[in-house]
Amino acid sequence: MANTIPTTVPVLLLFINTMSRRKKIFFGTGVFIAALIILFFVCDRISPVQSHVSYSTQIMSSDSVLMHVFLANDDKWRLKTETREINPLITKTLLYKEDKWFRYHPGINPIAMMRALVNNIFHAKRTSGASTITMQVARLLYPAPRTYKNKFIEMFRAFQLERHYSKDQILQLYLNLVPYGGNIEGIKSASYIYFQKPPQQLSLSEITALAIIPNRPTSLSKKNSQLLVAERNKWLKRMRNDNLYDKQMIADAMMEPIALSRHRLPTAIPHLAARLKASTNECDIIYSSINRDAQYSVEKIVKNYAAKLSLLDITNAAVLVNDNVTGKIMCYIGSADYNDNINGGQVDGTKAIRSPGSTLKPLVYGMAFDQGLLTPKTVMADVPMNVSGYIPENYDEKHNGAVTTEFALINSLNIPAVKTLNDVGLQTFIEKLNTCGFSSITQKQNGLGLSMVLGGCGVTLEQLVRMYSGIANEGTLQPMLYTMDVRKDTVTKVKIMSSEASYMVTNILSQMTRPDLPYNMQNAINKSKVAWKTGTSYGRRDAWCIGYNKRYTVGVWVGNFSGVGVPELSGAEMATPLMVEIMNTLAYNKNIAWYNPPSKIKVRNVCSVTGDLPGDYCTSTSMDFYIPMVSKNQICTHLHSVAISANEKYAYCMHCMPANNIQVKFKLYDNLTAELQTFYDNNNISYLRQPPHSPTCERVFGDASPLIVSPVNNMEYITQKNDDNQMLLQSQVTADVQKIYWYINNKLYKACSPAERIFFIPTKGTSKITCADDKGRNTTITINVKSLGGNL
């Protein structure tokens, strides 16, 4: 084995010596070619071709139309041309002009190279080139001075390209890199900048013009197009002589004028474009979910509407439109005018964290429906309340007494909403908002209280639109999609409320008798049925309106990015008209079906006074939706029969009922809650109040003790020196109580009727306050008083 190699060499030399001269030449040539091939593969392995190109980021609409372009990293307009955009007319014309044998050569054209070499030697200068399209791609990928050394490197790179890429891929690379003057590269960039159209829509005349510009990009891309027209016609005549195209087609192309002027590339949807570019790592073409026609229509509506509001010092607006069926965002308007530098037009209003006003209330009521706490006709008390020192007020600072749930929601009453949130559970509500994607709330949940349902938290328009889209989709929440590359079957969906609860909420929000219906908007809303909710933040800084039907959810924010409030700013007056106009535009000539009741929801008769199931004394009923096995089945007791004396002066219980039934009769009286009774008494609202209990009764009443609502138990109060410092004593008692007694630190302070407003001057330190009624029931609380500026 060791002697094999030394023995083989002489044998090979002997074999070569026996060859004829001709065979030796062929053999040597073969060995040389084989060596070159081996050397090529070795070099290809050591120095692979790098075809990575930095392209301009293109943002496309849902129907693949260019909407926004960003410069490439090297500040060039280099738009990537996709294969579908390279039509046969472009390919045929380009190959005729640049490389007729492109489909057949291995990267270089030996015949063309020999012809160019002979011509250049004969004329003693460079008269023609022999670069193939593949060689030009190599030169564009690896720019270098034109020397013989670099020409060989260029040929090597051309072989590499042919080895690793298909002919179509190489042609695509050429069309993406070919220079067109200045910072314009690629046929797609030139097509949009010079002719304002995509490459697949170019005419033969325009394609021919773009095919010859790369030979002299500086001179031929100038505004003076006479030279360009002459060059174009010269090549069109060659095509005619070679029968490349029909003669009439050539004649039409030669007659077509060429006006080569530079135009701006599209810059639509600037806020979303910047967002998609930042969130998508080095993606050349991003297919957004934007509906182009709808986007431009809504943009125009918003800009015109904002111009009108500017007269009121309201300078901006933001709008999101979500397709409830697909979950894709159709329209994205971050501000009324992106180019408005004075009023912060570059701010993306869809992502700005603002106070939501009353827009979270539908979610609270939907949760209450699912917990069986309420139904639409359940009656609530819209009266003054105090929850651990928090005293909410309605928008108009008035109280309505007994109201139904649907009245409270449609009128956006604050006190019933706070009561409902308190019953649902604050932490439960925060967890639901977390499920809905309210990250801004989740991050600050430890500092939130019941006021969040009135706007005491921060949300974005994007988050609200997603939540309402979940309600619109029968309680099913799905992610909002901004691009077309997400398949619907891969999207994770969650339930934020049952379909029954969402139907109840939608049924309420679609009612037309409501205070947030702007003047003269009745007919406009009737064009397209819609459910909507408005919101106005504290200080009138933000106006909201979120509207939806089965197909669309439209979210509108109106205000100033500076946060400056405006007295005229409200969701009803400023945001609702814009939402309605947008919804009508989207739904124009579309037959959008409305919601049908879910199969599990049922209808029942309830007492009109309480919303509970009718009792023995209920005379007026109404129809109400309810969820079987979930909604409460409480029997109405708004009236109760009371045994009273014949002169109706005293009421009796079983312990003190006279033995002589002639002295007793029964009468129906209102059975009000303590808070409603107090409200009616304080506001002189008449009701059937039962007479005081018989003074001869020896029964000790142990239930329904007075509820002290002011001051608040275990609360610390701060008072100012030299101020009056009076504090209100107020309680809520049952209807049978005629007199109450106030004790401060175990000393009787005053006896009064339950409706009487009593004040006292607190002393510094801890005080014990007791309220007792005429039935012997009592409640005690403690408060702590501190003073600023000295002792009281």
Side-chain angles (χ1 to χ4, degrees), residues 386 388-390 711-720 727 762-767 769 781-788 792:
N386 189 320
S388 300
Y390 173 53
V712 178
N713 189 28
N714 295 324
M715 181 64 67
E716 184 176 85
Y717 291 89
I718 307 296
T719 60
Q720 294 286 342
M727 188 172 292
T763 58
K764 183 181 178 181
T766 302
S767 295
I769 300 174
I781 65 169
T782 57
I783 63 172
N784 186 36
V785 179
K786 291 184 178 181
S787 64
L788 296 177
L792 291 173

mmCIF file of all heavy atoms in Angstrom, residues 386 388-390 711-720 727 762-767 769 781-788 792:
data_model
loop_
_atom_site.group_PDB
_atom_site.id
_atom_site.type_symbol
_atom_site.label_atom_id
_atom_site.label_comp_id
_atom_site.label_asym_id
_atom_site.label_seq_id
_atom_site.Cartn_x
_atom_site.Cartn_y
_atom_site.Cartn_z
ATOM 1 N N ASN A 386 -72.125 56.424 50.925
ATOM 2 C CA ASN A 386 -70.800 56.631 51.488
ATOM 3 C C ASN A 386 -70.175 55.268 51.717
ATOM 4 O O ASN A 386 -70.666 54.483 52.534
ATOM 5 C CB ASN A 386 -70.897 57.414 52.807
ATOM 6 C CG ASN A 386 -69.544 57.842 53.333
ATOM 7 O OD1 ASN A 386 -68.589 57.108 53.266
ATOM 8 N ND2 ASN A 386 -69.500 59.045 53.876
ATOM 9 N N SER A 388 -66.868 53.779 52.962
ATOM 10 C CA SER A 388 -65.575 54.001 53.619
ATOM 11 C C SER A 388 -64.998 55.377 53.310
ATOM 12 O O SER A 388 -63.807 55.537 53.020
ATOM 13 C CB SER A 388 -64.579 52.905 53.198
ATOM 14 O OG SER A 388 -65.061 51.637 53.553
ATOM 15 N N GLY A 389 -65.842 56.367 53.303
ATOM 16 C CA GLY A 389 -65.396 57.731 53.068
ATOM 17 C C GLY A 389 -65.479 58.183 51.633
ATOM 18 O O GLY A 389 -65.336 59.382 51.342
ATOM 19 N N TYR A 390 -65.712 57.251 50.704
ATOM 20 C CA TYR A 390 -65.847 57.626 49.297
ATOM 21 C C TYR A 390 -67.312 57.942 49.010
ATOM 22 O O TYR A 390 -68.195 57.091 49.190
ATOM 23 C CB TYR A 390 -65.355 56.508 48.384
ATOM 24 C CG TYR A 390 -65.619 56.767 46.910
ATOM 25 C CD1 TYR A 390 -65.211 57.952 46.311
ATOM 26 C CD2 TYR A 390 -66.279 55.821 46.130
ATOM 27 C CE1 TYR A 390 -65.454 58.184 44.977
ATOM 28 C CE2 TYR A 390 -66.522 56.041 44.797
ATOM 29 C CZ TYR A 390 -66.104 57.234 44.217
ATOM 30 O OH TYR A 390 -66.355 57.474 42.891
ATOM 31 N N PRO A 711 -70.701 60.491 60.471
ATOM 32 C CA PRO A 711 -69.391 60.269 59.858
ATOM 33 C C PRO A 711 -69.127 58.782 59.589
ATOM 34 O O PRO A 711 -69.966 57.940 59.926
ATOM 35 C CB PRO A 711 -68.423 60.830 60.888
ATOM 36 C CG PRO A 711 -69.136 60.677 62.190
ATOM 37 C CD PRO A 711 -70.593 60.878 61.892
ATOM 38 N N VAL A 712 -67.947 58.493 59.003
ATOM 39 C CA VAL A 712 -67.623 57.125 58.595
ATOM 40 C C VAL A 712 -66.812 56.443 59.687
ATOM 41 O O VAL A 712 -65.885 57.031 60.260
ATOM 42 C CB VAL A 712 -66.824 57.140 57.276
ATOM 43 C CG1 VAL A 712 -66.442 55.719 56.874
ATOM 44 C CG2 VAL A 712 -67.636 57.809 56.182
ATOM 45 N N ASN A 713 -67.168 55.218 59.961
ATOM 46 C CA ASN A 713 -66.514 54.458 61.009
ATOM 47 C C ASN A 713 -65.017 54.292 60.738
ATOM 48 O O ASN A 713 -64.592 54.041 59.611
ATOM 49 C CB ASN A 713 -67.173 53.085 61.133
ATOM 50 C CG ASN A 713 -66.694 52.319 62.345
ATOM 51 O OD1 ASN A 713 -66.296 52.919 63.354
ATOM 52 N ND2 ASN A 713 -66.728 50.996 62.258
ATOM 53 N N ASN A 714 -64.216 54.465 61.783
ATOM 54 C CA ASN A 714 -62.757 54.292 61.736
ATOM 55 C C ASN A 714 -62.070 55.241 60.762
ATOM 56 O O ASN A 714 -60.956 54.975 60.309
ATOM 57 C CB ASN A 714 -62.387 52.850 61.372
ATOM 58 C CG ASN A 714 -62.827 51.867 62.440
ATOM 59 O OD1 ASN A 714 -62.791 52.174 63.635
ATOM 60 N ND2 ASN A 714 -63.270 50.691 62.011
ATOM 61 N N MET A 715 -62.706 56.341 60.439
ATOM 62 C CA MET A 715 -62.131 57.314 59.509
ATOM 63 C C MET A 715 -61.377 58.382 60.300
ATOM 64 O O MET A 715 -61.769 58.756 61.407
ATOM 65 C CB MET A 715 -63.228 57.946 58.665
ATOM 66 C CG MET A 715 -62.719 58.958 57.644
ATOM 67 S SD MET A 715 -61.650 58.216 56.388
ATOM 68 C CE MET A 715 -62.817 57.168 55.523
ATOM 69 N N GLU A 716 -60.264 58.860 59.710
ATOM 70 C CA GLU A 716 -59.498 59.948 60.305
ATOM 71 C C GLU A 716 -59.872 61.244 59.599
ATOM 72 O O GLU A 716 -59.777 61.344 58.373
ATOM 73 C CB GLU A 716 -57.992 59.680 60.162
ATOM 74 C CG GLU A 716 -57.127 60.735 60.843
ATOM 75 C CD GLU A 716 -55.652 60.392 60.773
ATOM 76 O OE1 GLU A 716 -55.019 60.721 59.750
ATOM 77 O OE2 GLU A 716 -55.143 59.778 61.731
ATOM 78 N N TYR A 717 -60.285 62.244 60.371
ATOM 79 C CA TYR A 717 -60.716 63.527 59.818
ATOM 80 C C TYR A 717 -59.696 64.606 60.185
ATOM 81 O O TYR A 717 -59.206 64.663 61.319
ATOM 82 C CB TYR A 717 -62.100 63.910 60.346
ATOM 83 C CG TYR A 717 -63.216 63.033 59.818
ATOM 84 C CD1 TYR A 717 -63.589 61.864 60.486
ATOM 85 C CD2 TYR A 717 -63.887 63.365 58.654
ATOM 86 C CE1 TYR A 717 -64.599 61.055 60.002
ATOM 87 C CE2 TYR A 717 -64.903 62.563 58.160
ATOM 88 C CZ TYR A 717 -65.249 61.405 58.835
ATOM 89 O OH TYR A 717 -66.260 60.603 58.352
ATOM 90 N N ILE A 718 -59.394 65.454 59.207
ATOM 91 C CA ILE A 718 -58.476 66.566 59.414
ATOM 92 C C ILE A 718 -59.279 67.854 59.425
ATOM 93 O O ILE A 718 -60.050 68.130 58.495
ATOM 94 C CB ILE A 718 -57.408 66.629 58.305
ATOM 95 C CG1 ILE A 718 -56.711 65.270 58.159
ATOM 96 C CG2 ILE A 718 -56.395 67.717 58.603
ATOM 97 C CD1 ILE A 718 -55.937 64.833 59.378
ATOM 98 N N THR A 719 -59.114 68.661 60.475
ATOM 99 C CA THR A 719 -59.830 69.926 60.575
ATOM 100 C C THR A 719 -58.839 71.077 60.638
ATOM 101 O O THR A 719 -57.676 70.899 61.004
ATOM 102 C CB THR A 719 -60.723 69.956 61.824
ATOM 103 O OG1 THR A 719 -59.904 69.790 62.981
ATOM 104 C CG2 THR A 719 -61.766 68.858 61.766
ATOM 105 N N GLN A 720 -59.304 72.276 60.304
ATOM 106 C CA GLN A 720 -58.478 73.468 60.311
ATOM 107 C C GLN A 720 -58.785 74.311 61.549
ATOM 108 O O GLN A 720 -59.930 74.444 61.980
ATOM 109 C CB GLN A 720 -58.752 74.302 59.046
ATOM 110 C CG GLN A 720 -58.325 73.632 57.749
ATOM 111 C CD GLN A 720 -56.818 73.631 57.562
ATOM 112 O OE1 GLN A 720 -56.115 74.396 58.213
ATOM 113 N NE2 GLN A 720 -56.337 72.774 56.679
ATOM 114 N N MET A 727 -69.576 68.834 61.800
ATOM 115 C CA MET A 727 -69.632 67.531 61.140
ATOM 116 C C MET A 727 -71.070 67.028 61.168
ATOM 117 O O MET A 727 -71.769 67.143 62.185
ATOM 118 C CB MET A 727 -68.692 66.557 61.839
ATOM 119 C CG MET A 727 -68.535 65.236 61.126
ATOM 120 S SD MET A 727 -67.235 64.231 61.905
ATOM 121 C CE MET A 727 -65.775 65.196 61.509
ATOM 122 N N PRO A 762 -66.646 68.439 66.409
ATOM 123 C CA PRO A 762 -65.831 67.358 66.973
ATOM 124 C C PRO A 762 -64.662 67.901 67.791
ATOM 125 O O PRO A 762 -64.212 69.031 67.601
ATOM 126 C CB PRO A 762 -65.328 66.617 65.733
ATOM 127 C CG PRO A 762 -65.268 67.680 64.683
ATOM 128 C CD PRO A 762 -66.417 68.613 64.969
ATOM 129 N N THR A 763 -64.195 67.091 68.702
ATOM 130 C CA THR A 763 -63.018 67.435 69.506
ATOM 131 C C THR A 763 -61.835 66.610 69.027
ATOM 132 O O THR A 763 -61.997 65.544 68.423
ATOM 133 C CB THR A 763 -63.283 67.144 70.990
ATOM 134 O OG1 THR A 763 -63.611 65.761 71.143
ATOM 135 C CG2 THR A 763 -64.404 68.006 71.522
ATOM 136 N N LYS A 764 -60.658 67.126 69.300
ATOM 137 C CA LYS A 764 -59.447 66.441 68.851
ATOM 138 C C LYS A 764 -59.310 65.093 69.549
ATOM 139 O O LYS A 764 -59.608 64.940 70.728
ATOM 140 C CB LYS A 764 -58.231 67.315 69.151
ATOM 141 C CG LYS A 764 -56.921 66.725 68.643
ATOM 142 C CD LYS A 764 -55.756 67.631 68.989
ATOM 143 C CE LYS A 764 -54.438 67.019 68.538
ATOM 144 N NZ LYS A 764 -53.283 67.867 68.894
ATOM 145 N N GLY A 765 -58.890 64.097 68.782
ATOM 146 C CA GLY A 765 -58.679 62.768 69.323
ATOM 147 C C GLY A 765 -59.770 61.817 68.894
ATOM 148 O O GLY A 765 -60.502 62.053 67.924
ATOM 149 N N THR A 766 -59.924 60.722 69.631
ATOM 150 C CA THR A 766 -60.885 59.675 69.293
ATOM 151 C C THR A 766 -62.226 59.961 69.952
ATOM 152 O O THR A 766 -62.294 60.289 71.143
ATOM 153 C CB THR A 766 -60.379 58.303 69.746
ATOM 154 O OG1 THR A 766 -59.120 58.040 69.124
ATOM 155 C CG2 THR A 766 -61.371 57.207 69.363
ATOM 156 N N SER A 767 -63.297 59.851 69.145
ATOM 157 C CA SER A 767 -64.655 60.065 69.663
ATOM 158 C C SER A 767 -65.509 58.852 69.338
ATOM 159 O O SER A 767 -65.375 58.243 68.259
ATOM 160 C CB SER A 767 -65.276 61.322 69.036
ATOM 161 O OG SER A 767 -64.565 62.494 69.415
ATOM 162 N N ILE A 769 -69.330 57.600 68.710
ATOM 163 C CA ILE A 769 -70.630 58.140 68.311
ATOM 164 C C ILE A 769 -71.626 56.988 68.228
ATOM 165 O O ILE A 769 -71.358 55.976 67.565
ATOM 166 C CB ILE A 769 -70.534 58.879 66.967
ATOM 167 C CG1 ILE A 769 -69.544 60.045 67.084
ATOM 168 C CG2 ILE A 769 -71.902 59.376 66.516
ATOM 169 C CD1 ILE A 769 -69.263 60.740 65.773
ATOM 170 N N ILE A 781 -69.961 53.812 66.346
ATOM 171 C CA ILE A 781 -68.759 53.925 65.520
ATOM 172 C C ILE A 781 -67.739 54.775 66.275
ATOM 173 O O ILE A 781 -68.078 55.435 67.260
ATOM 174 C CB ILE A 781 -69.046 54.568 64.154
ATOM 175 C CG1 ILE A 781 -69.496 56.023 64.338
ATOM 176 C CG2 ILE A 781 -70.065 53.755 63.363
ATOM 177 C CD1 ILE A 781 -69.555 56.808 63.036
ATOM 178 N N THR A 782 -66.497 54.760 65.790
ATOM 179 C CA THR A 782 -65.460 55.630 66.345
ATOM 180 C C THR A 782 -64.781 56.387 65.209
ATOM 181 O O THR A 782 -64.625 55.861 64.104
ATOM 182 C CB THR A 782 -64.403 54.816 67.111
ATOM 183 O OG1 THR A 782 -63.834 53.840 66.234
ATOM 184 C CG2 THR A 782 -65.006 54.146 68.319
ATOM 185 N N ILE A 783 -64.388 57.613 65.501
ATOM 186 C CA ILE A 783 -63.655 58.429 64.534
ATOM 187 C C ILE A 783 -62.463 59.057 65.232
ATOM 188 O O ILE A 783 -62.436 59.158 66.468
ATOM 189 C CB ILE A 783 -64.533 59.533 63.911
ATOM 190 C CG1 ILE A 783 -65.013 60.518 64.981
ATOM 191 C CG2 ILE A 783 -65.702 58.944 63.142
ATOM 192 C CD1 ILE A 783 -65.715 61.736 64.408
ATOM 193 N N ASN A 784 -61.468 59.452 64.435
ATOM 194 C CA ASN A 784 -60.292 60.117 64.972
ATOM 195 C C ASN A 784 -60.157 61.476 64.297
ATOM 196 O O ASN A 784 -60.224 61.568 63.066
ATOM 197 C CB ASN A 784 -59.038 59.280 64.733
ATOM 198 C CG ASN A 784 -57.824 59.870 65.418
ATOM 199 O OD1 ASN A 784 -57.936 60.417 66.518
ATOM 200 N ND2 ASN A 784 -56.666 59.766 64.784
ATOM 201 N N VAL A 785 -59.987 62.521 65.082
ATOM 202 C CA VAL A 785 -59.928 63.881 64.567
ATOM 203 C C VAL A 785 -58.561 64.474 64.838
ATOM 204 O O VAL A 785 -58.069 64.417 65.977
ATOM 205 C CB VAL A 785 -61.032 64.767 65.187
ATOM 206 C CG1 VAL A 785 -60.926 66.193 64.661
ATOM 207 C CG2 VAL A 785 -62.413 64.182 64.900
ATOM 208 N N LYS A 786 -57.932 65.019 63.770
ATOM 209 C CA LYS A 786 -56.674 65.733 63.900
ATOM 210 C C LYS A 786 -56.869 67.153 63.391
ATOM 211 O O LYS A 786 -57.707 67.399 62.525
ATOM 212 C CB LYS A 786 -55.567 65.047 63.109
ATOM 213 C CG LYS A 786 -55.128 63.707 63.670
ATOM 214 C CD LYS A 786 -53.963 63.131 62.883
ATOM 215 C CE LYS A 786 -53.497 61.811 63.497
ATOM 216 N NZ LYS A 786 -52.344 61.251 62.742
ATOM 217 N N SER A 787 -56.092 68.064 63.949
ATOM 218 C CA SER A 787 -56.214 69.457 63.527
ATOM 219 C C SER A 787 -54.914 69.938 62.911
ATOM 220 O O SER A 787 -53.830 69.471 63.263
ATOM 221 C CB SER A 787 -56.594 70.349 64.717
ATOM 222 O OG SER A 787 -55.541 70.326 65.676
ATOM 223 N N LEU A 788 -55.032 70.858 61.961
ATOM 224 C CA LEU A 788 -53.891 71.507 61.351
ATOM 225 C C LEU A 788 -53.811 72.931 61.875
ATOM 226 O O LEU A 788 -54.803 73.653 61.885
ATOM 227 C CB LEU A 788 -54.026 71.521 59.823
ATOM 228 C CG LEU A 788 -54.020 70.154 59.128
ATOM 229 C CD1 LEU A 788 -54.224 70.344 57.643
ATOM 230 C CD2 LEU A 788 -52.725 69.418 59.396
ATOM 231 N N LEU A 792 -57.959 72.250 68.641
ATOM 232 C CA LEU A 792 -59.307 72.765 68.485
ATOM 233 C C LEU A 792 -59.759 73.470 69.751
ATOM 234 O O LEU A 792 -59.395 73.079 70.842
ATOM 235 C CB LEU A 792 -60.260 71.610 68.169
ATOM 236 C CG LEU A 792 -60.066 70.972 66.796
ATOM 237 C CD1 LEU A 792 -60.958 69.757 66.689
ATOM 238 C CD2 LEU A 792 -60.366 71.949 65.695
#
